[in-house]
Short mmCIF file of all heavy atoms in Angstrom, two decimals:
data_model
loop_
_atom_site.label_atom_id
_atom_site.label_comp_id
_atom_site.label_asym_id
_atom_site.label_seq_id
_atom_site.Cartn_x
_atom_site.Cartn_y
_atom_site.Cartn_z
N ILE A 137 5.00 6.10 5.02
CA ILE A 137 4.93 6.59 6.36
C ILE A 137 3.98 7.82 6.32
O ILE A 137 3.69 8.42 5.28
CB ILE A 137 6.26 7.09 6.88
CG1 ILE A 137 6.89 8.17 5.98
CG2 ILE A 137 7.22 5.94 7.07
CD1 ILE A 137 8.14 8.85 6.49
N LEU A 138 3.31 8.06 7.43
CA LEU A 138 2.42 9.22 7.58
C LEU A 138 3.28 10.51 7.66
O LEU A 138 4.24 10.58 8.39
CB LEU A 138 1.65 9.04 8.88
CG LEU A 138 0.55 10.08 9.11
CD1 LEU A 138 -0.53 9.96 8.06
CD2 LEU A 138 -0.05 9.85 10.48
N ILE A 139 2.93 11.45 6.78
CA ILE A 139 3.66 12.76 6.73
C ILE A 139 2.68 13.91 6.79
O ILE A 139 1.45 13.69 6.52
CB ILE A 139 4.56 12.86 5.53
CG1 ILE A 139 3.69 12.83 4.18
CG2 ILE A 139 5.67 11.83 5.55
CD1 ILE A 139 4.57 13.05 2.93
N THR A 140 3.21 15.05 7.09
CA THR A 140 2.38 16.26 7.14
C THR A 140 2.45 16.98 5.73
O THR A 140 3.38 16.61 4.93
CB THR A 140 2.83 17.28 8.18
OG1 THR A 140 4.15 17.74 7.83
CG2 THR A 140 2.88 16.63 9.59
N HIS A 141 1.57 17.91 5.50
CA HIS A 141 1.68 18.64 4.23
C HIS A 141 3.05 19.43 4.15
O HIS A 141 3.59 19.51 3.11
CB HIS A 141 0.49 19.63 4.06
CG HIS A 141 -0.77 19.00 3.90
ND1 HIS A 141 -1.17 18.35 2.69
CD2 HIS A 141 -1.87 18.79 4.78
CE1 HIS A 141 -2.35 17.88 2.86
NE2 HIS A 141 -2.88 18.12 3.99
N ARG A 142 3.50 19.91 5.29
CA ARG A 142 4.79 20.64 5.32
C ARG A 142 5.94 19.69 4.97
O ARG A 142 6.84 20.01 4.15
CB ARG A 142 5.01 21.26 6.67
CG ARG A 142 6.35 21.97 6.82
CD ARG A 142 6.34 23.17 5.90
NE ARG A 142 7.68 23.70 5.88
CZ ARG A 142 7.91 24.96 5.66
NH1 ARG A 142 6.93 25.83 5.43
NH2 ARG A 142 9.12 25.46 5.68
N GLN A 143 5.92 18.44 5.49
CA GLN A 143 6.95 17.41 5.18
C GLN A 143 6.82 17.06 3.71
O GLN A 143 7.89 16.89 3.03
CB GLN A 143 6.77 16.25 6.06
CG GLN A 143 7.17 16.48 7.51
CD GLN A 143 6.71 15.42 8.42
OE1 GLN A 143 5.74 14.74 8.27
NE2 GLN A 143 7.49 15.20 9.50
N GLU A 144 5.69 16.90 3.20
CA GLU A 144 5.51 16.68 1.76
C GLU A 144 6.16 17.74 0.92
O GLU A 144 6.92 17.49 -0.05
CB GLU A 144 4.02 16.53 1.38
CG GLU A 144 3.74 16.24 -0.05
CD GLU A 144 2.27 16.20 -0.42
OE1 GLU A 144 1.54 17.01 0.17
OE2 GLU A 144 1.96 15.44 -1.30
N HIS A 145 5.96 19.00 1.32
CA HIS A 145 6.49 20.11 0.60
C HIS A 145 8.01 20.14 0.71
O HIS A 145 8.74 20.43 -0.29
CB HIS A 145 5.92 21.45 1.18
CG HIS A 145 6.56 22.66 0.59
ND1 HIS A 145 7.63 23.30 1.13
CD2 HIS A 145 6.25 23.37 -0.49
CE1 HIS A 145 8.01 24.34 0.41
NE2 HIS A 145 7.13 24.39 -0.61
N ASP A 146 8.57 19.86 1.93
CA ASP A 146 10.01 20.00 2.14
C ASP A 146 10.81 18.82 1.66
O ASP A 146 11.94 18.95 1.36
CB ASP A 146 10.25 20.21 3.66
CG ASP A 146 9.75 21.59 4.16
OD1 ASP A 146 9.44 22.45 3.32
OD2 ASP A 146 9.78 21.79 5.41
N TRP A 147 10.23 17.61 1.72
CA TRP A 147 11.01 16.41 1.43
C TRP A 147 10.62 15.67 0.17
O TRP A 147 11.38 14.65 -0.17
CB TRP A 147 10.86 15.48 2.66
CG TRP A 147 11.43 16.07 3.87
CD1 TRP A 147 10.94 16.86 4.83
CD2 TRP A 147 12.84 15.91 4.24
NE1 TRP A 147 11.81 17.17 5.78
CE2 TRP A 147 13.02 16.66 5.40
CE3 TRP A 147 13.95 15.26 3.67
CZ2 TRP A 147 14.24 16.73 6.07
CZ3 TRP A 147 15.16 15.35 4.34
CH2 TRP A 147 15.32 16.04 5.47
N TYR A 148 9.64 16.10 -0.59
CA TYR A 148 9.26 15.40 -1.75
C TYR A 148 9.07 16.33 -2.94
O TYR A 148 8.55 17.46 -2.72
CB TYR A 148 7.99 14.55 -1.61
CG TYR A 148 8.15 13.42 -0.64
CD1 TYR A 148 7.95 13.68 0.79
CD2 TYR A 148 8.45 12.19 -0.98
CE1 TYR A 148 8.17 12.61 1.68
CE2 TYR A 148 8.67 11.15 -0.11
CZ TYR A 148 8.52 11.38 1.25
OH TYR A 148 8.71 10.36 2.15
N LEU A 149 9.47 16.00 -4.15
CA LEU A 149 9.17 16.75 -5.29
C LEU A 149 7.69 16.70 -5.64
O LEU A 149 7.04 15.68 -5.33
CB LEU A 149 10.06 16.27 -6.47
CG LEU A 149 11.50 16.43 -6.29
CD1 LEU A 149 12.27 15.81 -7.54
CD2 LEU A 149 11.88 17.86 -6.16
N HIS A 150 7.18 17.67 -6.26
CA HIS A 150 5.78 17.72 -6.62
C HIS A 150 5.55 16.74 -7.79
O HIS A 150 6.09 16.87 -8.85
CB HIS A 150 5.28 19.11 -7.04
CG HIS A 150 3.91 19.12 -7.58
ND1 HIS A 150 2.81 18.95 -6.73
CD2 HIS A 150 3.44 19.39 -8.77
CE1 HIS A 150 1.71 19.02 -7.49
NE2 HIS A 150 2.08 19.27 -8.72
N GLY A 151 4.62 15.79 -7.55
CA GLY A 151 4.30 14.89 -8.67
C GLY A 151 2.93 15.29 -9.19
O GLY A 151 1.90 15.20 -8.53
N SER A 152 2.90 15.72 -10.43
CA SER A 152 1.66 16.13 -11.07
C SER A 152 0.83 14.99 -11.69
O SER A 152 -0.35 15.16 -11.96
CB SER A 152 1.89 17.24 -12.13
OG SER A 152 2.68 16.62 -13.16
N CYS A 153 1.51 13.87 -11.91
CA CYS A 153 0.76 12.70 -12.49
C CYS A 153 0.12 11.88 -11.41
O CYS A 153 0.79 11.72 -10.29
CB CYS A 153 1.77 11.84 -13.26
SG CYS A 153 2.66 12.79 -14.55
N GLN A 154 -1.06 11.36 -11.63
CA GLN A 154 -1.70 10.69 -10.53
C GLN A 154 -2.50 9.42 -11.00
O GLN A 154 -2.87 9.34 -12.18
CB GLN A 154 -2.58 11.62 -9.82
CG GLN A 154 -3.63 12.37 -10.64
CD GLN A 154 -4.32 13.36 -9.87
OE1 GLN A 154 -5.29 13.03 -9.07
NE2 GLN A 154 -4.01 14.64 -9.93
#
Side-chain angles (χ1 to χ4, degrees):
I137 59 172
L138 186 63
I139 61 173
T140 65
H141 290 288
R142 179 64 188 210
Q143 290 166 327
E144 179 183 34
H145 174 269
D146 290 351
W147 292 92
Y148 294 87
L149 296 175
H150 173 70
S152 62
C153 304
Q154 56 185 282

